[in-house]
Amino acid sequence: MPGFGLTMGLTLTMVSLVVLLPLGALLFKGATFGAGNIWEVVNRPRTWAALYLSFRLSALAALFNLVFGLLLAWVLVRYRFAGRRLIDAAVDLPFALPTAVAGIALTALYAPNGTFGSLFEPLGWRIAYTQVGIFLALVFVGLPFVVRTVQPVLATMDREVEEASATLGASRWTTMRRVILPMLAPAALTGFALALARAVGEYGSVIFIAGNIPLRTEIAPLLIVIQLEEFNYDAAAAIGIVMLVISFTMLLVINLLQIWTRRRIGDV
């Protein structure tokens, strides 16, 4: 292919500068710090609580976005109604909106004296400054990834396949379960992985609504920032390496599921 050497060289250079070099610097910092010291930093109740909170709520938010993102993409593609384009444009707001602005807006809405928070406060339900508030923030920033990943696949999906399924006597639920969902599975898993990755590293939209109470509502990215502000770069790198390993493992499993799904569809 003409220009392959030049384009490949530029690609590898950009990938190295933007991805490999920062990750390599992080791993090098951890290597100089030592595995024993890394374990000493990570093996603390506060660190484990922050890591567990971040990954647990990120996974729950990504699963929520997977389900409702599929539904939203389906509605936007398959139906025509007043305000559809407005809703379609609003899906991209979390992409364009600064995360700090999103966090402030969510806090203003769900604080005990906020528009929605004041409705739940008499019932004894508190949203802001709890793990529920963190979950809402992660859902907000992750939903567009699922919608925008699944939407093009739905738009190009041949409806004749659904009609053929119906003519063979399959119910709508059977057609959805045996025909449509398997075709959407690779794109849906991609959107899930993107939403999960965004949620794990999210900082700006969470710290305002989280309350940031150690062992309760403190996320792992905030703990890294605290270590950096205390000039404890080794501890920050240690927590970052653990997050990197866990994230890489989760994304690897999701990619393997994608490969298995594509092969299964191809065999069918």
Side-chain angles (χ1 to χ4, degrees):
M1 181 182 297
F4 174 77
L6 178 61
T7 55
M8 178 59 72
L10 291 174
T11 301
L12 294 178
T13 300
M14 291 303 299
V15 170
S16 300
L17 292 176
V18 177
V19 179
L20 299 180
L21 187 60
L23 294 181
L26 177 64
L27 295 176
F28 177 77
K29 185 70 174 178
T32 57
F33 189 46
N37 293 325
I38 292 177
W39 177 249
E40 182 180 353
V41 170
V42 174
N43 193 26
R44 298 172 182 172
R46 184 178 180 181
T47 306
W48 282 121
L51 290 171
Y52 177 66
L53 176 68
S54 293
F55 283 97
R56 176 170 56 87
L57 292 184
S58 296
L60 291 176
L63 285 172
F64 182 90
N65 285 331
L66 177 62
V67 175
F68 289 93
L70 280 171
L71 292 176
L72 180 56
W74 179 272
V75 170
L76 292 176
V77 172
R78 292 300 179 92
Y79 299 100
R80 296 294 181 268
F81 54 91
R84 183 181 66 88
R85 292 185 177 180
L86 181 62
I87 297 175
D88 189 39
V91 171
D92 293 327
L93 274 179
F95 286 145
L97 198 65
T99 55
V101 176
I104 294 173
L106 290 172
T107 305
L109 288 174
Y110 292 102
N113 58 347
T115 304
F116 299 135
S118 60
L119 301 177
F120 295 99
E121 186 67 17
L123 301 176
W125 298 344
R126 178 168 257 188
I127 298 177
Y129 317 123
T130 66
Q131 294 186 14
V132 178
I134 299 174
F135 173 80
L136 288 176
L138 297 181
V139 168
F140 176 80
V141 300
L143 181 62
F145 290 95
V146 178
V147 177
R148 291 306 183 222
T149 305
V150 174
Q151 195 171 3
V153 180
L154 269 174
T156 58
M157 186 179 295
D158 192 355
R159 297 194 182 187
E160 293 181 357
V161 178
E162 303 172 40
E163 296 172 358
S165 176
T167 57
L168 292 174
S171 63
R172 295 183 65 87
W173 169 244
T174 302
T175 301
M176 176 68 70
R177 182 171 55 89
R178 301 294 298 272
V179 178
I180 298 175
L181 288 181
M183 296 173 66
L184 292 177
L189 285 174
T190 300
F192 173 81
L194 293 173
L196 177 63
R198 172 65 187 272
V200 167
E202 183 58 28
Y203 175 77
S205 62
V206 175
I207 57 172
F208 293 99
I209 199 172
N212 307 320
I213 302 174
L215 303 177
R216 292 178 60 187
T217 59
E218 185 179 56
I219 59 175
L222 175 61
L223 195 57
I224 294 175
V225 173
I226 291 174
Q227 299 297 332
L228 292 174
E229 290 177 346
E230 296 175 354
F231 301 100
N232 193 352
Y233 301 120
D234 292 330
I239 300 173
I241 288 173
V242 173
M243 291 191 67
L244 176 63
V245 172
I246 298 175
S247 300
F248 178 80
T249 303
M250 296 175 67
L251 293 177
L252 177 62
V253 172
I254 294 173
N255 286 330
L256 291 177
L257 284 175
Q258 285 180 293
I259 295 174
W260 177 80
T261 305
R262 289 193 180 98
R263 290 179 177 176
R264 187 168 179 268
I265 295 175
D267 293 338
V268 173

